[in-house]
């Protein structure tokens, strides 16, 4: 059964994309992004602008001075990273605030940044990679919003995402990877990001890229970012496994990944 029909039969609602993010997507679609317009759009929503500034001033970015405006953030970080932080805040805002979801959003921010920067270092579409990283676990928030009391114990009990998929299927007849992909598609993300979100659990557990994945490099980068976050000592093994499947050179992939890892570690060290 197609996911859309399955969701209708299960009465699971996919939240609509916030209007600010629809406008942001249109701005980003231009070959030459109008940076003043981008800053103005973000700053027109006071809560969103405040959340974006709080995020870019965090230790993750390690900026040398405190950023006071969205325009400053764009100058220091670039259009893509500020747009991605805005998407991260907008995504989080459509779901209920809950302690159980805090780790999901924390991982999303780190994973998105890692994937965007690794992709940029490898000449792969950095926006598709960054957005895939942000949205990878968003299906968990969809299920949490759909049935808090039923989903909370499942989310807490699962020892890893493989077990979580099994428990979700048992309880709801659908899992967070499919729901996350449906949300990505509904919000107009690139097909490569949609596929990455749909298959990330399989790729992380098996290190195999399913044949139906489009632009396989994005999914390979997801595996690398998740390895960096979960167990950095496995990064070499993951690169050797997934890079050839995405027609990428293992040495180049490792070089780009280690460079980004060093950037993030240095940023955190400067801020601490």
């Amino acid at each position: 059964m197609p996911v859309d029909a399955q969701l209708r039969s299960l009465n699971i609602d996919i939240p609509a994309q916030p209007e600010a993010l629809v406008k942001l997507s249109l701005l980003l679609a231009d070959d030459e992004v109008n940076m003043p317009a981008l800053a103005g759009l973000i700053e027109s929503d006071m809560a969103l602008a405040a959340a974006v500034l709080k995020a870019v001033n965090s230790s993750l970015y390690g900026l040398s001075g405190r950023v006071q405006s969205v325009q400053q953030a764009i100058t220091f970080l670039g259009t893509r990273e500020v747009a991605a932080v805005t998407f991260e805040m907008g995504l989080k805002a459509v779901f209920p605030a809950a302690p159980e979801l805090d780790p999901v959003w924390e991982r999303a921010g780190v994973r998105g940044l890692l994937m965007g920067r690794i992709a940029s270092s490898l000449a792969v579409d950095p926006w598709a990679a960054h957005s895939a990283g942000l949205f990878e676990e968003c299906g968990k928030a969809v299920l949490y919003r759909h049935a808090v009391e039923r989903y909370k114990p499942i989310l807490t009990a699962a020892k890893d995402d493989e077990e979580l998929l099994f428990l979700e299927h048992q309880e709801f007849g659908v899992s967070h990877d499919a729901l996350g992909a449906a949300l990505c598609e509904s919000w107009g993300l690139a097909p490569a990001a949609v596929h990455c979100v749909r298959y990330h659990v399989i790729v992380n557990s098996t290190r195999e890229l399913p044949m139906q994945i489009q632009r396989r490099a994005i999914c390979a980068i997801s595996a690398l970012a998740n390895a960096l976050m979960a167990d950095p000592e496995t990064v070499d093994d993951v690169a050797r496994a997934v890079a050839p499947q995405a027609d990428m050179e293992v040495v180049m992939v490792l070089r780009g990944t280690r460079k980004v890892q060093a950037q993030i570690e240095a940023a955190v060290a400067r801020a601490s």
Side-chain angles (χ1 to χ4, degrees):
M1 181 188 295
V3 172
D4 286 348
Q6 188 178 21
L7 296 183
R8 285 193 296 273
S9 70
L10 297 170
N11 198 31
I12 296 177
D13 178 49
I14 295 292
Q17 186 177 17
E19 185 62 28
L21 298 191
V22 174
K23 293 177 181 177
L24 180 59
S25 296
L26 293 173
L27 279 176
L28 293 173
D30 291 339
D31 291 335
E32 293 292 330
V33 178
N34 184 329
M35 289 199 287
L38 176 66
L41 173 62
I42 298 170
E43 289 171 336
S44 68
D45 185 324
M46 290 181 62
L48 184 60
V52 168
L53 289 177
K54 181 179 178 181
V56 299
N57 280 307
S58 71
S59 61
L60 188 61
Y61 290 92
L63 297 176
S64 55
R66 187 162 184 81
V67 170
Q68 303 288 341
S69 69
V70 174
Q71 185 63 59
Q72 270 189 312
I74 293 171
T75 300
F76 284 118
L77 294 176
T79 302
R80 173 181 57 79
E81 290 196 357
V82 174
V85 172
T86 308
F87 261 80
E88 179 187 346
M89 299 303 124
L91 173 65
K92 184 177 178 180
V94 302
F95 295 104
E100 293 83 6
L101 294 180
D102 287 345
V104 171
W105 304 130
E106 288 169 12
R107 289 192 297 269
V110 175
R111 187 190 306 108
L113 182 61
L114 286 170
M115 287 183 63
R117 289 190 178 179
I118 293 170
S120 183
S121 74
L122 298 174
V124 175
D125 184 346
W127 175 248
H130 203 141
S131 56
L134 290 176
F135 282 73
E136 197 165 280
E137 296 183 70
C138 68
K140 295 175 182 177
V142 174
L143 278 173
Y144 188 94
R145 190 177 83 149
H146 170 68
V148 176
E149 296 308 319
R150 288 167 60 197
Y151 190 57
K152 193 185 299 186
I154 291 173
L155 186 60
T156 305
K159 69 178 186 296
D160 54 34
D161 275 358
E162 284 182 277
E163 183 177 348
L164 183 59
L165 294 192
F166 175 76
L167 295 173
E168 289 167 344
H169 271 290
Q170 278 194 319
E171 182 68 24
F172 299 103
V174 69
S175 53
H176 73 267
D177 51 355
L179 289 171
L183 188 144
C184 289
E185 199 161 29
S186 172
W187 285 26
L189 269 63
V194 176
H195 280 205
C196 182
V197 171
R198 178 66 182 87
Y199 297 107
H200 73 277
V201 178
I202 294 172
V203 172
N204 287 332
S205 61
T206 67
R207 300 179 185 174
E208 295 287 336
L209 307 186
M211 292 305 298
Q212 58 266 51
I213 290 176
Q214 294 184 14
R215 292 172 66 186
R216 299 159 73 79
I218 303 288
C219 223
I221 290 168
S222 167
L224 291 162
N226 278 290
L228 277 178
M229 293 166 63
D231 187 357
E233 291 186 1
T234 66
V235 167
D236 287 21
D237 290 340
V238 171
R240 281 191 286 268
V242 300
Q245 297 177 62
D247 296 321
M248 296 192 293
E249 292 286 338
V250 174
V251 172
M252 295 299 292
V253 166
L254 278 172
R255 186 178 300 158
T257 302
R258 294 301 187 193
K259 177 183 175 182
V260 171
Q261 180 186 20
Q263 286 176 351
I264 301 297
E265 289 175 350
V268 173
R270 281 198 305 273
S272 61

